[in-house]
């Protein structure tokens, strides 16, 4: 979904992806590569004895390999209901080599394209029908109802970051918490048929978090942003939904200080002004 990383990272990840394919009796098909943020993941279509699949390799420093992000997809496979369309996880392997830990996950292949391919930000309006929007609303409601002790956003983070990045005095106590996908942006959604991808970081978040994140990543396309608000207004147009928007704006403004999502700064600050008037 993102651009190819630095050559040394790309070479290492390609070598480890080949190792993962061998371990899982999979053979890469064609030359297609899907890179994650800064080369942290590499995914490719593969052939297996049980049919075509999608092999995703995750890398992390060896001392940070494991924990919530490592276990997220496996836990989603176990706990998420059928109302949430997602690729099924067939097998997984973990190992450490040198300074890096690796997680290989073999999924059923999804043949439908993601709505954006290289970044989470939406830059042109997608052609999505009523069934897609209804399916998204149903999926978000189903995710919110899943009980779990996983955490996507912590109150401690809100207490520290919201005043810092919003630049205002604010009550940082989340009014309600629900289970969230945690990374619901346009590069993790397929169309015209809906599939929700990337289940690493799901867990408890302020109620409305997923809808607020998708809305914020839509702000450069007012037509689609208005659709998000219309279709998910039962979540967004509430006090909890407005708080969730402030949480998302906090997080995205923080990413901007690190050099990411720079094009969103103007629309995010405009939205912040509207919410805090």
């Amino acid at each position: 979904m993102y651009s190819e990383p630095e050559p040394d990272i790309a070479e290492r990840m390609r070598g480890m992806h080949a190792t993962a394919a061998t371990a899982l009796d999979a053979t890469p098909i064609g030359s297609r590569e899907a890179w994650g943020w800064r080369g942290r993941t590499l995914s490719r279509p593969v052939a297996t004895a049980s049919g075509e699949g999608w092999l995703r390799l995750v890398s992390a420093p060896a001392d940070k390999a494991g924990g919530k992000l490592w276990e997220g997809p496996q836990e989603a496979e176990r706990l998420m209901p059928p109302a949430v369309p997602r690729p099924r996880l067939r097998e997984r392997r973990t190992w450490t080599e040198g300074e890096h830990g690796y997680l290989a996950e073999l999924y059923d292949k999804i043949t439908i394209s993601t709505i954006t391919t290289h970044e989470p930000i939406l830059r042109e309006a997608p052609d999505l029908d009523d069934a897609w929007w209804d399916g998204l609303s149903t999926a978000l409601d189903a995710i919110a109802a899943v009980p779990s002790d996983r955490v996507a956003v912590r109150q401690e983070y809100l207490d520290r970051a919201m005043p810092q990045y919003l630049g205002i005095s604010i009550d940082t106590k989340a009014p309600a918490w629900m289970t969230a996908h945690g990374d619901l942006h346009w590069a993790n959604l397929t169309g015209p048929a809906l599939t929700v991808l990337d289940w690493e970081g799901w867990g408890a978040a302020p109620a409305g978090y997923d809808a607020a994140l998708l809305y914020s990543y839509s702000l450069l396309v007012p037509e689609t942003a208005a659709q998000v608000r219309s279709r998910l207004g039962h979540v967004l147009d509430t006090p909890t939904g407005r708080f969730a928007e402030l949480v998302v704006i906090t997080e995205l403004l923080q990413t901007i200080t690190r050099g990411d999502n720079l094009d969103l700064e103007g629309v995010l600050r405009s939205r912040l002004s509207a919410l805090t008037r």
Side-chain angles (χ1 to χ4, degrees):
M1 296 185 299
Y2 294 85
S3 58
E4 184 176 318
E6 295 296 322
D8 58 332
I9 297 175
E11 180 180 4
R12 173 175 59 83
M13 290 292 286
R14 287 181 177 125
M16 290 297 100
H17 194 282
T19 298
T22 299
L24 293 169
D25 296 322
T27 303
I29 302 171
S31 58
R32 180 185 174 192
E33 295 180 332
W35 290 98
W37 181 73
R38 296 185 179 176
R40 196 180 72 85
T41 67
L42 171 60
S43 303
R44 295 188 64 186
V46 294
T48 73
S50 56
E52 290 190 10
W54 184 254
L55 181 56
R56 182 176 187 261
L57 178 73
V58 185
S59 171
D63 62 345
K64 296 182 180 179
K68 184 189 80 168
L69 295 181
W70 232 242
E71 302 299 329
Q74 182 174 248
E75 287 294 284
E77 180 66 22
R78 184 172 69 89
L79 295 172
M80 286 295 155
V84 184
R86 66 194 190 284
R88 305 311 300 268
L89 177 62
R90 298 183 194 170
E91 295 184 70
R92 69 196 295 272
R93 297 282 192 280
T94 62
W95 74 98
T96 300
E97 185 165 323
E99 298 177 352
H100 296 90
Y102 298 95
L103 166 64
E105 298 168 322
L106 179 61
Y107 292 94
D108 287 347
K109 185 181 179 183
I110 300 298
T111 59
I112 306 162
S113 298
T114 53
I115 293 169
T116 60
T117 55
H118 297 295
E119 62 176 346
I121 300 171
L122 190 71
R123 297 186 183 276
E124 59 182 37
D127 184 12
L128 302 171
D129 61 17
D130 288 343
W132 190 95
W133 288 104
D134 290 344
L136 178 64
S137 181
T138 298
L140 295 187
D141 289 345
I143 293 168
V146 172
S148 174
D149 59 2
R150 291 174 57 83
V151 178
V153 179
R154 296 187 179 277
Q155 181 64 56
E156 295 82 358
Y157 170 80
L158 305 184
D159 295 340
R160 171 178 54 83
M162 292 184 78
Q164 178 180 354
Y165 292 101
L166 298 181
I168 57 174
S169 177
I170 184 172
D171 181 358
T172 60
K173 182 176 175 57
W177 296 83
M178 289 186 178
T179 302
H181 174 273
D183 199 18
L184 196 81
H185 56 65
W186 296 101
N188 281 336
L189 299 170
T190 67
L194 173 66
T195 311
V196 185
L197 307 177
D198 192 357
W199 288 89
E200 286 185 328
W202 70 278
Y209 180 86
D210 283 339
L213 188 62
L214 191 65
Y215 176 72
S216 294
Y217 274 124
S218 308
L219 288 172
L220 295 183
V221 185
E223 171 189 343
T224 304
Q227 277 189 298
V228 174
R229 291 211 75 86
S230 172
R231 299 288 183 160
L232 302 178
H234 65 289
V235 175
L236 290 171
D237 295 332
T238 65
T240 55
R242 287 186 282 275
F243 182 86
E245 273 197 73
L246 292 172
V247 171
V248 167
I249 291 171
T250 297
E251 293 180 326
L252 292 179
L253 289 177
Q254 183 178 17
T255 70
I256 287 167
T257 67
R258 299 169 178 167
D260 297 316
N261 299 311
L262 298 178
D263 292 348
L264 289 179
E265 182 169 11
V267 290
L268 289 172
R269 294 198 180 280
S270 294
R271 185 61 190 155
L272 173 59
S273 178
L275 286 167
T276 57
R277 246 177 229 142

